[in-house]
Amino acid sequence: MSVTPENLGDLNRRTLLRRAAAAGLLVTPAAGLLSACAGSEPTKSNDAGAKSKDNPFGVKDGSAVKVVVFNGGLGDQWAKEDKVVFNAKHAKVTVNMSSTQKIKTEEQPKMATQPSDLVMNSGADSMDRSTLINEGAIEPLDDLLTAPAWDGEGTVADSLLPGTVGDGTQNGKFYVVNVAYTVWGNWYNAALFKKEGWQAPTTWDEFFALAPKIKAKGMAPYVHDAVHGYYPRWALMASIWKSAGKQAVIDIDNLKDNAWKADGVLKALEPWEKLVKDRLLLPGKLDHTQSQQAWLDGKAAFIQVGTWLKNEMSATIPPGFELTLSDYWSNPGDKAAKDVFAGSGEGFVVPSKAPNKEAAKEFLRAILSKAGSAKFAELTKSLASTKGSGDNVQDTALSSANTLMKNATGDLISVKFPDFYADLDKESQNLSEELMAGRLTAQQFVDKMQAAADKVAKDSSIKKQTRTA
């Protein structure tokens, strides 16, 4: 896997993986180094060059910028293309680019001394975003938003898809540049469904009616990642939003009293409990790639994951397999049945002590350019967070995601508490795994999540975050 939302903030394993190990961040030896950043004077960057519309940050010729890319489900070829875009405008700036899946392991120890200039903070081994911000370890990037777009009219902020700025904002400042735009939902093989005469369900009732026909063909109706708890958590929270509405999730994110007991929350989770109890899941404790391969092998009809799926599994997709994305299923009476779970993820940060912050910000402009984002969509078969990135890409998987977005309402499903609170994030992952393993009922899940939220709310040592939209 990658992501992988990395936050939808983080479309962002995304929104695509980056938090999986967050709860353990403060107890690592490197956390002491990270803490040393708090209140310290940032290292001065290279002497800046002349500023202009084409060089708004004053990147200096002859300087070098170190860029670290997370090499997960989206690969890293797209970033190499961004290097070409950057050097076409800044031929005398050296870009030292490296790729890794060990972001926290390799980059966190450097944060208080000599960090890289630009770091893609994604994946299971990612650094906790709130800690980075609260410790002053990463640079606010509001000036990037107001800078001219690389190859278009208006500002960088004008060029971004809805939610991208909000996903990267915390404490009123913009810190994280999410470069991918992920859409989540239930994937199926349209070729198989056409062959069997099956109609892709849009509601839970339709799914449960179709399930016996699927089982009769020797397939499990559903498969999911049973190892990484943020995978099922995405689906559960999407269902909660659809059922209970946007305000219910805002209240959950804001640790409002009894937010997990709101009308519609339990109702949203009960179909997932039924799916497990009715033995509609493919047996086995499969991780992300194992579950995705099982689906590609025809062992299950549906899998829930984000739009990085095709790129991550490109080497093993069978001929004639039509990857098609459908929305998460709804229940009668849902308050927001048409809202789609989508948003930005795969976030880049600029360390406060980076030696060449000017070039780091300029490289971000290149990544968000029309040329860079078009290459991203072409190579990853996933949308970039820049508007229009997928307009010229002919691909069934990306097309179905685009169709889903075109039919979506104005509100996009987003969940903030995993970015706000590392401990609550980890507990939600654990409990999601337990529910999908049949070791918790929906009611027990709700009760335990409320207890975990109450614990965070009552802990005065934890800085509280507020979501307004």
Side-chain angles (χ1 to χ4, degrees):
M1 158 197 92
S2 109
V3 186
T4 246
E6 207 157 88
N7 225 211
L8 293 112
D10 118 245
L11 278 117
N12 143 101
R13 260 191 273 200
R14 288 172 153 39
T15 246
L16 167 207
L17 292 187
R18 52 188 178 168
R19 310 182 199 103
L25 180 65
L26 295 177
V27 298
T28 63
L33 296 176
L34 182 58
S35 296
C37 294
S40 60
E41 254 330 287
T43 297
K44 291 184 179 180
S45 297
N46 296 301
D47 293 336
K51 294 184 179 181
S52 65
K53 183 178 179 180
D54 275 344
N55 188 11
F57 304 110
V59 178
K60 186 179 179 181
D61 283 349
S63 66
V65 59
K66 181 170 176 52
V67 180
V68 179
V69 178
F70 174 71
N71 189 5
L74 297 174
D76 63 358
Q77 184 58 42
W78 59 271
K80 296 174 183 177
E81 297 293 337
D82 291 325
K83 181 178 177 180
V84 175
V85 172
F86 178 87
N87 280 138
K89 189 172 288 190
H90 298 285
K92 296 181 180 179
V93 178
T94 301
V95 179
N96 297 314
M97 181 177 288
S98 61
S99 302
T100 183
Q101 292 192 0
K102 298 294 185 181
I103 297 296
K104 184 174 75 171
T105 301
E106 296 176 8
E107 295 303 314
Q108 184 175 306
K110 306 174 187 176
M111 295 296 281
T113 54
Q114 183 84 351
S116 303
D117 296 299
L118 183 61
V119 179
M120 187 176 180
N121 186 38
S122 189
D125 188 41
S126 62
M127 299 177 286
D128 178 47
R129 162 176 155 166
S130 289
T131 301
L132 292 174
I133 293 171
N134 294 336
E135 296 280 342
I138 56 176
E139 188 81 356
L141 299 172
D142 299 272
D143 55 345
L144 173 67
L145 295 177
T146 58
W150 182 271
D151 50 9
E153 298 298 320
T155 65
V156 169
D158 295 332
S159 72
L160 300 177
L161 284 170
T164 305
V165 174
D167 289 339
T169 299
Q170 194 162 318
N171 302 337
K173 294 182 179 181
F174 182 68
Y175 288 96
V176 182
V177 180
N178 292 318
V179 298
Y181 203 80
T182 298
V183 186
W184 284 265
N186 292 314
W187 291 86
Y188 64 97
N189 178 5
L192 171 67
F193 274 59
K194 291 172 188 175
K195 176 184 175 183
E196 299 295 343
W198 297 340
Q199 184 70 34
T202 60
T203 68
W204 278 106
D205 287 342
E206 291 171 356
F207 168 72
F208 288 123
L210 178 62
K213 299 177 183 179
I214 296 172
K215 293 184 75 173
K217 294 294 180 177
M219 303 175 67
Y222 211 88
V223 65
H224 81 297
D225 180 346
V227 174
H228 302 101
Y230 42 85
Y231 274 82
R233 202 244 333 263
W234 288 329
L236 300 181
M237 292 308 302
S239 294
I240 288 172
W241 178 296
K242 284 177 173 291
S243 176
K246 176 180 180 178
Q247 188 59 49
V249 175
I250 290 177
D251 291 343
I252 285 173
D253 289 337
N254 289 341
L255 305 177
K256 184 178 179 180
D257 288 346
N258 292 318
W260 286 92
K261 304 296 181 70
D263 289 343
V265 174
L266 179 61
K267 178 184 175 184
L269 301 173
E270 288 174 337
W272 292 103
E273 179 184 346
K274 176 177 170 60
L275 183 151
V276 176
K277 285 187 174 180
D278 289 358
R279 299 188 177 184
L280 303 181
L281 276 176
L282 184 69
K285 193 173 178 64
L286 306 178
D287 67 13
H288 56 290
T289 53
Q290 290 170 335
S291 59
Q292 290 161 191
Q293 189 60 53
W295 175 68
L296 291 172
D297 290 340
K299 295 178 181 179
F302 290 99
I303 187 169
Q304 82 86 23
V305 71
T307 42
W308 63 84
L309 172 64
K310 182 167 185 176
N311 190 69
E312 186 164 60
M313 304 304 293
S314 60
T316 58
I317 298 173
F321 199 105
E322 296 181 21
L323 290 85
T324 306
L325 180 65
S326 65
D327 198 7
Y328 288 111
W329 305 314
S330 59
N331 282 310
D334 279 359
K335 293 181 180 179
K338 297 297 183 181
D339 288 1
V340 172
F341 191 10
S344 62
E346 303 298 350
F348 276 93
V349 297
V350 177
S352 295
K353 292 196 172 187
N356 197 353
K357 286 181 279 193
E358 293 82 14
K361 294 176 185 179
E362 185 71 346
F363 199 89
L364 286 169
R365 279 210 314 142
I367 292 175
L368 298 173
S369 68
K370 290 181 180 179
S373 62
K375 272 295 183 181
F376 179 94
E378 175 189 339
L379 293 168
T380 68
K381 303 302 183 290
S382 185
L383 297 174
S385 58
T386 303
K387 295 174 182 175
S389 66
D391 288 352
N392 298 316
V393 180
Q394 302 300 315
D395 177 79
T396 57
L398 191 57
S399 176
S400 63
N402 283 333
T403 299
L404 193 56
M405 287 300 299
K406 288 178 182 178
N407 294 331
T409 58
D411 282 327
L412 297 177
I413 296 171
S414 63
V415 184
K416 303 295 187 184
F417 76 82
D419 279 326
F420 289 168
Y421 308 110
D423 289 343
L424 190 56
D425 169 28
K426 187 60 180 177
E427 182 68 0
S428 72
Q429 293 183 40
N430 292 338
L431 294 177
S432 296
E433 289 181 31
E434 292 295 290
L435 175 64
M436 295 303 291
R439 293 188 289 267
L440 283 182
T441 66
Q443 183 64 65
Q444 288 170 329
F445 178 92
V446 167
D447 292 341
K448 288 180 179 292
M449 279 306 305
Q450 185 61 63
D454 290 343
K455 182 178 179 181
V456 174
K458 294 174 183 177
D459 189 338
S460 60
S461 69
I462 298 175
K463 184 173 182 178
K464 304 305 188 293
Q465 309 292 336
T466 300
R467 172 185 183 178
T468 58

